[in-house]
Amino acid sequence: MNYISTRGNTAPKTFSEVLLMGLAPDGGLMLPERYPQIDAATLDKWRGLSYPNLSFEIMRLFATDIPEDDLRAIIGNTYTEEAFGTQAITPVRTLSDGLKIQALSNGPTLAFKDMAMQFLGNAFEYVLKKAGATLNIVGATSGDTGSAAEYALRGKEGVHVFMMSPEGKMSAFQRAQMYSLHDANIHNIAVKGMFDDCQDIVKAVQNDAAFKAQYRIGTVNSINWGRVMAQIVYYFAGYFYATQSNAETVSFCVPSGNFGNICAGHIAKQMGLPIGRLMVATNENDVLDEFFKTGRYLPRSAAQTHVTSSPSMDISKASNFERFVFDLAGRNPAEIRALWEQVASGAGFDLGGLLDEARGQYGFVSGKSTHADRLATIRRVYEEDGELIDPHTADGVKVARELRENGETVVCLETALPAKFADTIREALGGSVAIPRPAKLEGLENLPQRVQTVPADADAVKNIIRRVLD
């Protein structure tokens, strides 16, 4: 299996090359030349496999340059009951109204990002050790990617992590998870701006070919194909957990910011998993909802991006959206280059003529949730089911209930545990509600924190990297 860029000007690469690459040299995102096709007989064989064994069967179709025994070992070291709290890894539960929730947030940092990041950390270490190389990760986070990456990569041989986050825009728990780490290879950088400013700096560093080569820059943001690949697995697992036979169809509702989570679902559907619809749930930053309703894609500036109570979705430039549009536009790299030139100019683009295809062939629909909506959803789920859900998952539940059709089985992807967003939970339910958190994370916010603050400027971040590595 070789990989190509959405912009068409990068030679085909192997999985290991793409894993370390991040953004393609031509500015595009890497994707498989083709999606492996899964038939009914294969689905029958996969039903009932353990999560590690299912992961191996799926990942070996994409990571063909890694010896299968080595890949199986990497996966076996990643998806353990010790790390994720249950043998099922991503169990599915059902609310009283029939909506299902897939638990993706039982990893070390209590967020779904652990599902891919724990694999990525082990895969990085394997590939780098085999090549006798080092890698310096430059990433951006709106809340959960950063901590998941740092916990996965802390102390890893041959890896430094430079993680940017928007100053003051994450919850206190999210900040503490990241800034309280004092490992020598972890470097936290608070940027005076929004997440999109951080993401723009990542892309600026990635696009500086000389700097990238000199300092061996990679990324763990969802532009990294390794993360999307690992996330494909839990769609298959969720489908098997939610159904009795492979004759059934399941729809997934996904709280969406950078489009990486639901992009994995898109690929699973294209592989042949019986997915009915893919429901994109946005918060007040509803650029993606606008696209799937009108065909118009117009990313907003940092100044136009709302600071909300589901902060991990406070994103107006969804990096992984380019992967989907590449498929929607018939995998035409020239068209992708032209469309993203329009995005760069601030004009955006209109693909209204392809909306029927986006909804029909690809199954995409969308909805939006506001602060009042998520508070009401948190309250309703607690009152009816005795369960606490975090604000992002609440956005997904709200949209799933709004879009669900009669007889449709919908699995909502849980994106984080409520302990990460205690203030919003208390606003919804009252100050006396008990919000459980793992014992090892008690008192997290009181630990000493280490972070550097910089303006929203790529050169300021490059200077930090130089000081650490030179």
Side-chain angles (χ1 to χ4, degrees):
M1 174 70 75
N2 284 325
Y3 291 81
I4 57 174
S5 168
T6 53
R7 311 249 177 128
N9 291 325
T10 297
K13 302 290 184 182
T14 66
F15 171 77
S16 294
E17 290 173 321
V18 168
L19 183 74
L20 302 182
M21 177 189 300
L23 203 64
D26 62 10
L29 301 180
M30 302 302 287
L31 270 175
E33 288 181 317
R34 56 178 176 77
Y35 298 133
Q37 296 301 294
I38 306 303
D39 59 20
T42 302
L43 283 175
D44 285 336
K45 285 195 299 184
W46 287 359
R47 181 178 287 274
L49 290 180
S50 68
Y51 196 93
N53 286 339
L54 178 63
S55 298
F56 171 73
E57 293 295 338
I58 293 170
M59 291 188 192
R60 73 186 183 94
L61 303 175
F62 295 100
T64 54
D65 62 316
I66 296 182
E68 291 196 347
D69 286 347
D70 293 349
L71 181 61
R72 193 183 289 277
I74 294 169
I75 291 169
N77 289 334
T78 299
Y79 299 111
T80 65
E81 185 173 358
E82 180 183 6
F84 290 94
T86 170
Q87 273 194 330
I89 307 297
T90 63
V92 171
R93 62 193 188 272
T94 305
L95 299 181
S96 53
D97 69 346
L99 183 70
K100 297 181 184 295
I101 296 181
Q102 186 174 8
L104 303 179
S105 305
N106 295 323
T109 71
L110 317 186
F112 85 96
K113 306 292 176 73
D114 291 322
M115 293 303 306
M117 211 67 77
Q118 288 289 306
F119 168 78
L120 212 61
N122 290 329
F124 275 150
E125 190 169 50
Y126 168 84
V127 171
L128 291 171
K129 191 170 184 179
K130 198 167 184 181
T134 59
L135 186 67
N136 298 301
I137 299 296
V138 177
T141 184
S142 55
D144 293 328
T145 294
S147 57
E150 291 179 356
Y151 276 69
L153 294 169
R154 60 188 303 194
K156 292 288 186 187
E157 188 177 340
V159 181
H160 277 271
V161 179
F162 299 87
M163 186 60 62
M164 287 172 280
S165 56
E167 184 188 28
K169 304 300 192 299
M170 301 185 296
S171 73
F173 187 101
Q174 289 174 309
R175 289 195 297 273
Q177 270 194 314
M178 293 174 56
Y179 301 165
S180 65
L181 294 182
H182 292 264
D183 303 74
N185 70 326
I186 301 298
H187 313 277
N188 281 300
I189 304 169
V191 173
K192 294 180 178 178
M194 297 296 292
F195 168 77
D196 290 325
D197 294 307
C198 303
Q199 188 162 252
D200 286 344
I201 293 172
V202 171
K203 291 180 179 179
V205 173
Q206 287 272 326
N207 283 322
D208 184 338
F211 186 88
K212 183 177 180 179
Q214 181 179 353
Y215 292 101
R216 295 191 57 80
I217 302 297
T219 183
V220 290
N221 274 53
S222 55
I223 58 178
N224 187 303
W225 166 254
R227 275 188 56 188
V228 177
M229 180 190 73
Q231 291 172 328
I232 291 169
V233 177
Y234 54 67
Y235 282 90
F236 280 84
Y239 173 82
F240 291 138
Y241 292 150
T243 61
Q244 298 298 313
S245 80
N246 298 328
E248 299 176 60
T249 298
V250 169
S251 296
F252 287 87
C253 186
V254 187
S256 299
N258 224 3
F259 207 76
N261 198 359
I262 202 163
C263 184
H266 160 67
I267 294 169
K269 180 175 171 66
Q270 296 312 298
M271 290 172 67
L273 186 66
I275 293 175
R277 298 193 293 168
L278 291 163
M279 303 173 177
V280 178
T282 72
N283 64 9
E284 292 88 339
N285 297 296
D286 56 353
V287 171
L288 292 172
D289 183 41
E290 182 180 350
F291 174 81
F292 286 107
K293 283 189 166 71
T294 69
R296 177 81 171 143
Y297 181 65
L298 183 61
R300 298 169 191 156
S301 68
Q304 296 170 313
T305 300
H306 301 284
V307 178
T308 77
S309 52
S310 49
S312 298
M313 294 157 59
D314 290 349
I315 298 170
S316 291
K317 299 175 185 176
S319 283
N320 281 279
F321 189 56
E322 183 172 333
R323 284 186 165 115
F324 168 66
V325 175
F326 182 65
D327 287 342
L328 181 65
R331 293 199 148 210
N332 182 339
E335 183 168 354
I336 296 302
R337 290 195 299 272
L339 291 175
W340 258 262
E341 283 174 8
Q342 292 174 230
V343 170
S345 73
F349 57 76
D350 193 328
L351 295 180
L354 294 176
L355 265 187
D356 286 346
E357 192 172 350
R359 294 167 179 160
Q361 177 182 344
Y362 295 109
F364 277 94
V365 291
S366 67
K368 172 183 175 179
S369 175
T370 66
H371 180 67
D373 292 328
R374 68 185 64 99
L375 293 183
T377 302
I378 291 168
R379 192 176 305 117
R380 178 181 165 188
V381 170
Y382 185 70
E383 290 173 350
E384 293 181 357
D385 294 277
E387 287 201 23
L388 293 176
I389 57 173
D390 89 286
H392 309 78
T393 305
D395 288 336
V397 169
K398 184 266 182 182
V399 170
R401 286 173 166 166
E402 181 178 83
L403 297 177
R404 182 172 48 168
E405 298 174 347
N406 288 337
E408 184 177 22
T409 299
V410 180
V411 176
C412 182
L413 298 192
E414 174 192 81
T415 58
L417 293 190
K420 302 191 79 163
F421 306 97
D423 289 346
T424 302
I425 303 300
R426 292 193 178 100
E427 184 180 354
L429 301 178
S432 61
V433 66
I435 305 172
R437 67 164 66 179
K440 64 184 178 183
L441 296 177
E442 289 294 342
L444 181 70
E445 293 89 338
N446 299 323
L447 295 175
Q449 297 185 9
R450 179 170 65 105
V451 62
Q452 301 176 71
T453 302
V454 300
D457 177 70
D459 286 335
V461 174
K462 287 180 183 176
N463 286 335
I464 291 174
I465 294 169
R466 289 187 184 102
R467 285 198 299 270
V468 171
L469 300 179
D470 282 348

